[in-house]
Amino acid sequence: MNRTLKTTAVAATFCAVAGAGIVGYGEVTAEAQTRTQEQTQTQEQMQTTSATTARHGHGHGDSFSGTKKIRVDGYSVNVSCSGHSAARKPVVVLMAGAGDGLDSVAGLQKTLSKKNRVCSYDRLGEGESDQPNGIQTINDSSKILTGVLNQITGDRPVVLAGHSMGGYIAARYAPDHRDKVKGLVLMDATIPALTAGISKAIPESATGLAAEMRAGAIAGNEGQNPEQFVIDDVKVRSAGRIPVQIIKHESEYSQVPDYRPALEQMWSEGQHEWLGLSRHSSLSTAAGSGHYIYRDRPDIAVKAIQRVTAQATARW
């Protein structure tokens, strides 16, 4: 697209790309600026902790606190870990949405790390990690995630807690890594068939902002996003009997009122599809929240992650 889109939560829901780009933000609200400043302050605190407490080695997955760069498959990947927990308790790994680095979940990580070992990382193309060499598929992203987990969690199992595209990647990663992933929390995760869904909810005949949203979402799904990650339409595969908590937003899409009902239906149906990940999946709505559930309702996000971690610990 040849013009910058207006700042909208709709764009964030489809493919959250902060800054500029296909589905980007041309304007930054005062609230967003405040949030960014708070995230930066929290991240700086974590980096200060790193300077004083970092230790080497990762066999037990509890080897350092703070932020550092690790090498994975020839790339430099920015990771952050904090907190401690019992040796047999899963490590919580936070996965931000598209356009967001680990700094966006720093506040959530800080809260969770009071009772858990919690880590996060910048995927290629995000934050302080290297840029990808080209288009990335789920196999490419999964390879990086495996390399990260091997280094920051050692032989301990993990609970993946992903927002938006981070949730989509976590949900697709889990079925092929049942030995490692023992629980999932999906916070308004990108739905399994977004391209088909958005194409139906907003027809090609749409004009104005709705047309831009449609085109931007489809282009983003084809890899025109910071990570150059292709978001394929897929069928949901089982990840076994692991606990899975799916949380959806309560209200979105106010900027395109004519298509809002169809978009909400599309998103809700997509969230229900993720229930197929496990016989022990549950779906709830975060009252009072938009797409960024962990910001709008951090209490709900924290409780869900703690609950799934406890369930995973009991099963392990």
Side-chain angles (χ1 to χ4, degrees):
M1 298 176 66
N2 55 16
R3 58 174 172 163
T4 305
L5 300 185
K6 297 178 181 179
T7 303
T8 68
V10 184
T13 303
F14 294 154
C15 186
V17 181
I22 293 299
V23 194
Y25 300 108
E27 304 167 4
V28 180
T29 64
E31 180 182 5
Q33 290 176 329
T34 299
R35 285 175 175 171
T36 299
Q37 291 171 354
E38 291 173 348
Q39 293 162 4
T40 300
Q41 290 171 355
T42 303
Q43 190 64 19
E44 288 174 347
Q45 292 172 354
M46 295 173 72
Q47 290 173 337
T48 299
T49 302
S50 174
T52 57
T53 64
R55 298 191 299 275
H56 298 287
H58 55 267
H60 51 79
D62 198 22
S63 59
F64 79 97
S65 292
T67 305
K68 70 177 183 179
K69 302 288 183 64
I70 62 175
R71 299 296 297 180
V72 179
D73 195 33
Y75 293 99
S76 175
V77 178
N78 193 42
V79 301
S80 172
C81 289
S82 54
H84 302 277
S85 62
R88 292 186 61 81
K89 191 174 183 180
V91 177
V92 175
V93 178
L94 304 177
M95 300 178 65
D100 293 329
L102 60 80
D103 59 328
S104 69
V105 295
L108 179 61
Q109 179 170 329
K110 182 178 180 181
T111 299
L112 289 167
S113 63
K114 295 175 182 178
K115 296 182 179 180
N116 302 274
R117 176 67 171 169
V118 188
C119 297
S120 56
Y121 75 108
D122 289 331
R123 294 189 297 275
L124 298 185
E126 306 286 7
E128 299 298 320
S129 289
D130 283 348
Q131 296 294 314
N133 289 328
I135 287 293
Q136 292 194 92
T137 65
I138 188 62
N139 291 333
D140 299 315
S141 186
S142 294
K143 186 176 182 179
I144 295 297
L145 177 54
T146 296
V148 169
L149 295 181
N150 287 342
Q151 293 193 51
I152 66 176
T153 69
D155 56 6
R156 291 173 63 173
V158 300
V159 167
L160 299 180
H163 169 249
S164 195
M165 197 173 85
Y168 171 91
I169 293 173
R172 292 199 60 190
Y173 182 84
D176 292 324
H177 299 84
R178 301 186 188 188
D179 58 330
K180 189 69 172 178
V181 181
K182 301 303 180 182
L184 286 171
V185 178
L186 307 182
M187 295 173 282
D188 227 29
T190 299
I191 61 175
L194 179 56
T195 297
I198 190 64
S199 298
K200 179 180 179 181
I202 301 179
E204 192 172 2
S205 59
T207 59
L209 181 58
E212 293 179 339
M213 289 295 174
R214 183 185 193 277
I218 293 173
N221 293 346
E222 293 173 346
Q224 295 184 48
N225 57 68
E227 300 174 40
Q228 299 183 56
F229 177 72
V230 176
I231 306 174
D232 292 317
D233 284 358
V234 297
K235 291 185 177 180
V236 177
R237 298 167 54 220
S238 174
R241 302 181 64 183
I242 64 173
V244 178
Q245 176 66 60
I246 302 158
I247 313 172
K248 65 178 289 291
H249 68 253
E250 180 179 50
S251 180
E252 275 287 350
Y253 317 116
S254 61
Q255 291 81 359
V256 284
D258 291 345
Y259 300 98
R260 186 173 185 176
L263 289 168
E264 288 289 8
Q265 180 178 353
M266 171 201 76
W267 199 255
S268 180
E269 290 175 352
Q271 298 304 315
H272 277 84
E273 286 185 50
W274 285 130
L275 288 169
L277 282 163
S278 172
R279 293 174 57 187
H280 298 282
S281 297
S282 62
L283 171 64
S284 61
T285 299
S289 76
H291 184 51
Y292 278 83
I293 292 170
Y294 64 90
R295 294 179 185 169
D296 297 337
R297 291 299 308 271
D299 56 323
I300 291 177
V302 168
K303 288 180 181 178
I305 295 170
Q306 290 177 334
R307 184 184 307 114
V308 169
T309 302
Q311 292 171 343
T313 302
R315 290 172 176 274
W316 186 33

